Amino acid sequence: MAKQILLEVVTPDKLLLSKEVDVVVAASVDGEFGVLAGHVPFLASLAIGEMRYRVGNQTDYAAISGGFAEVTGEKVTILAEAAELAREIDLDRAQRARERAQKRMAQAQAEQLDYVRAETALRRAMLRLKVAGRTQAV
Ligand code: ATP
C-alpha cells in the first residue's frame, strides 16, 4: 500500500477531521492543489472552495470557507475559517443563506449594504450546496 498522509482540518470551533488519507485536493486562492505523502513543504492561502480526500476507493468532500493550509511530507493542516463535512451540511440553511445573500446583493446599492460581504456569503452558500450534493463514494 502506498504511504498515507495525515490530514487535519481545524476550525475556530473544533478539530473537524484527523485522518490518514491517500491524497488530498484543496482549493487555494491560486487554484487547486493535490498532496500525496512526501510532498515538498509549502503554505497556501485557501479560497472558499471544495476539499476532497481519498482513502482507497472512497472519496469524501468538505466545504472550506477560506483559511490556510500547511503542507509537510507527513501532514496537511487545514486551518479554516469555517469548514463542514459534506454529510454535515444543513441544506435548508445553505439555501436560506443563498437567498438572503442574493437579496442583499440586489439591494446593495440602493440601501448602501456591503456588496462584497453579501457576495462572499453567497459564495459560501453556493459551495455548501455543491458539496452537500456530492455522493459519499466515487
Ligand atoms: P449562515 O448565514 O447560515 O450562518 P454563514 O455563511 O454566515 O451562514 P459562517 O459564518 O460561514 O456561516 O459559519 C458559521 C458556523 O456555522 C460555522 O461553524 C459553519 O461551519 C456553520 N455553518 C454555516 N452554514 C452551515 C450549513 N449550511 N450547514 C452546516 N453548518 C453550517
Side-chain angles (χ1 to χ4, degrees):
M1 198 173 78
K3 204 163 173 285
Q4 292 188 313
I5 188 162
L6 178 63
L7 169 62
E8 288 202 340
V9 181
V10 184
T11 72
D13 304 332
K14 61 180 173 183
L15 176 64
L16 182 76
L17 186 72
S18 180
K19 196 178 175 72
E20 293 283 344
V21 303
D22 295 329
V23 61
V24 187
V25 178
S28 83
V29 292
D30 300 316
E32 272 200 342
F33 62 92
V35 180
L36 299 164
H39 200 291
V40 290
F42 74 97
L43 291 173
S45 200
L46 296 175
I48 295 173
E50 180 178 278
M51 183 189 79
R52 58 184 187 272
Y53 52 97
R54 185 174 60 73
V55 183
N57 59 9
Q58 168 92 24
T59 301
D60 286 308
Y61 297 84
I64 307 291
S65 294
F68 293 95
E70 181 187 32
V71 174
T72 68
E74 298 84 39
K75 186 173 174 184
V76 180
T77 308
I78 304 283
L79 292 172
E81 288 167 31
E84 304 86 38
L85 302 176
R87 63 175 175 276
E88 293 173 355
I89 292 173
D90 179 336
L91 212 51
D92 289 344
R93 177 174 170 180
Q95 275 161 353
R96 287 196 302 275
R98 177 178 61 185
E99 280 159 29
R100 214 164 38 242
Q102 283 169 333
K103 271 189 201 138
R104 288 207 179 118
M105 286 167 70
Q107 296 165 352
Q109 219 168 357
E111 298 181 18
Q112 294 187 319
L113 294 174
D114 188 337
Y115 186 89
V116 173
R117 189 171 161 188
E119 195 184 27
T120 306
L122 178 62
R123 285 167 52 215
R124 287 195 301 272
M126 298 295 283
L127 171 68
R128 286 172 178 137
L129 293 169
K130 173 177 143 184
V131 170
R134 296 291 197 189
T135 50
Q136 293 297 300
V138 167

